[in-house]
Amino acid sequence: MSSVLSFRSIRSSCVLALGVLAASGLGSSCDTLKGPVLTMTADKTTISAGGYEFATITVVAKNQGKVAVGVSVEFETQSGSFSDSGELTSTTIATDAQGTATVQLHSPTTQGQSEVTATYYDDESGLEAVAKLTITFGPPQAGNLPVDGRFQLNCPYINLGALRTPKPDIVMDCQVSAQTTSGNVVPTESLTLFFLAEAGVMTAVDDPWEEKRVIRYSVSGGNPMPLDVPPVSGEPSRTGSLGEQRNPRDGVVTLLAIARGSEAWIDLNNNGVRDEGEPFTDTDEPFLDVDDDGVYTPGVDEYFDSNGDGSWTPKNGQYDGDTFIGAVTKVIWSGPIEEAPDAARIEAEPSSLDIPDSGSLILRVFLLDRNMNPVAAFGDAGDALEVEEQHGYVNVFPYSLTLEQMSSMEFDTGDPQWPILQFLTNAGKLNDITLYDASPNTDPPEENPFAANLSVLASPGPASGGYWVSQVTDYFSQNVQGTV
């Protein structure tokens, strides 16, 4: 792991001879030329990216055939840092009594390579010696690997309006978080990531605006639709307009990120290495639970072939300290409102829709699509439900409701496969809206007709560059009509 030596002078013809000798590895022959010579070595030329590992680089300086004591050697690197607490790409070290100068090169967050250069300039002779070597920053190794359970895929929204026609150009930026067993954060940039998506497509990209690597999920590309599945016990279902069965899991999309890592274990002696007898959590080979049942289904679910044996491998009863681990998240693809008694609807109390003098009427609105999933909406984008009364005989409060993200089910995010804990009975329900008699205490009371229109202004989702997909408007076809 020694460097190639070179030698430069502005007034000596020794340059060519030293360069030839250095290239041939005969650095000691340069001593006879009475010029400065550098020999550079590293204890390792490949280290893990991520900032937790460093290579120790050592140079030995000689001049006129003897070790050069107390001379300055300048180190430069293209990537990484000579400091463990900040960016330091150049530094100067004085040689010790053995003519040695040592520096530590800490890895950057990103994988790649760096050429390290050491320079020693002799003021008396005007000669300069240069040594170079290359350090490779590879994927995390050994104790720097993320562990299963501390490798997660996190997305900011759970409900995307991707079941609209034409398909909206939704782009959502997610994040991967990873930690070693000791709790050190493993930078996303240092990981080699693989992705599987039930519908849509995921890629890792460097975001120049955020100045970090993000996991970009787009509903376009990949599989165009999530898998339709039969309802499970406790799941609501309905018959669609074409006689088909619909249930909330028909809109669930499973996403999977995969990285090299290790199974989780309890480090009883806190030495950062799993010792024999320390308990561990055995895991399955990462798989994409397309049918949302929490278990691998052959021929339906996709898997990542960690061991290359051509088949999915369940728990093997052994600790795997260097394998591939997965991080799952689920999102809902929803569509426009589907008016039906078991989908999008308006419930009134009292149901007669007749408001007595000085009285009121409460409207309960459910915004659900064909799969009984809430319509995707984003308060930051100005999405709202608006109510407009046509004749002026009632007052509406509130006349507008800001719409936020809602789900029809609760997932167990602590389980690797995100199984469903429960289906929410009031999925898609908004806050109550009240219609008040606009002319209370009328004597004698008059019966006047009222009619309220309800419209839904919804953005299907985020788009690239921090924008939102254009807002769309859904109307309830039936007005709320009665007398007051």
Side-chain angles (χ1 to χ4, degrees), residues 3-321:
S3 71
V4 175
L5 307 178
S6 65
F7 183 113
R8 295 193 298 271
S9 171
I10 59 175
R11 61 183 185 180
S12 173
S13 60
C14 295
V15 177
L16 179 59
L18 284 168
V20 172
L21 289 170
S24 65
L26 302 176
S28 60
S29 300
C30 293
D31 296 348
T32 61
L33 298 178
K34 306 303 182 185
V37 177
L38 278 183
T39 302
M40 179 190 286
T41 59
D43 64 337
K44 44 194 170 186
T45 55
T46 298
I47 59 177
S48 300
Y52 299 111
E53 198 171 355
F54 60 84
T56 300
I57 299 171
T58 303
V59 299
V60 177
K62 289 186 177 183
N63 197 3
Q64 298 185 12
K66 298 179 181 180
V67 295
V69 179
V71 300
S72 296
V73 178
E74 183 179 353
F75 292 88
E76 292 184 346
T77 183
Q78 297 170 326
S79 182
S81 176
F82 295 121
S83 169
D84 63 354
S85 59
E87 184 178 354
L88 183 65
T89 57
S90 64
T91 187
T92 300
I93 306 292
T95 59
D96 59 17
Q98 286 74 43
T100 299
T102 302
V103 70
Q104 292 177 344
L105 178 64
H106 296 262
S107 63
T109 57
T110 56
Q111 297 183 40
Q113 288 186 329
S114 177
E115 185 176 71
V116 181
T117 303
T119 305
Y120 160 35
Y121 182 78
D122 179 34
D123 292 330
E124 291 186 6
S125 65
L127 300 177
E128 182 183 78
V130 179
K132 297 182 179 183
L133 59 75
T134 298
I135 301 294
T136 299
F137 310 118
Q141 305 280 337
N144 295 321
L145 288 172
V147 296
D148 188 56
R150 295 189 178 185
F151 175 55
Q152 298 177 330
L153 175 63
N154 304 300
C155 296
Y157 305 110
I158 194 172
N159 192 341
L160 304 175
L163 294 183
R164 291 182 177 269
T165 303
K167 187 185 293 294
D169 190 19
I170 299 172
V171 177
M172 177 172 64
D173 285 348
C174 304
Q175 299 288 334
V176 158
S177 62
Q179 291 183 342
T180 67
T181 191
S182 59
N184 289 329
V185 175
V186 182
T188 304
E189 293 82 0
S190 71
L191 299 171
T192 300
L193 296 170
F194 306 90
F195 304 102
L196 293 175
E198 178 181 350
V201 64
M202 287 192 297
T203 56
V205 298
D206 292 319
D207 189 333
W209 300 101
E210 297 290 338
E211 295 185 346
K212 62 183 178 181
R213 183 162 296 178
V214 299
I215 311 307
R216 186 149 292 168
Y217 175 62
S218 173
V219 303
S220 300
N223 295 326
M225 293 286 288
L227 181 69
D228 286 342
V229 293
V232 296
S233 176
E235 181 177 13
S237 62
R238 60 182 297 270
T239 301
S241 58
L242 301 178
E244 76 281 11
Q245 283 296 113
R246 296 286 181 183
N247 57 80
R249 285 164 52 250
D250 289 338
V252 173
V253 173
T254 305
L255 307 176
L256 174 65
I258 305 107
R260 187 174 164 214
S262 69
E263 292 180 332
W265 87 95
I266 299 177
D267 192 7
L268 297 177
N269 57 6
N270 296 316
N271 66 349
V273 178
R274 183 185 177 270
D275 300 306
E276 189 66 30
E278 288 184 329
F280 69 95
T281 303
D282 201 10
T283 58
D284 299 322
E285 203 164 50
F287 71 92
L288 188 72
D289 188 19
V290 175
D291 57 2
D292 310 308
D293 63 357
V295 297
Y296 176 73
T297 306
V300 177
D301 295 335
E302 298 181 59
Y303 67 93
F304 184 83
D305 193 4
S306 301
N307 55 16
D309 65 355
S311 62
W312 178 75
T313 304
K315 301 177 178 66
N316 60 10
Q318 300 177 351
Y319 170 71
D320 295 313

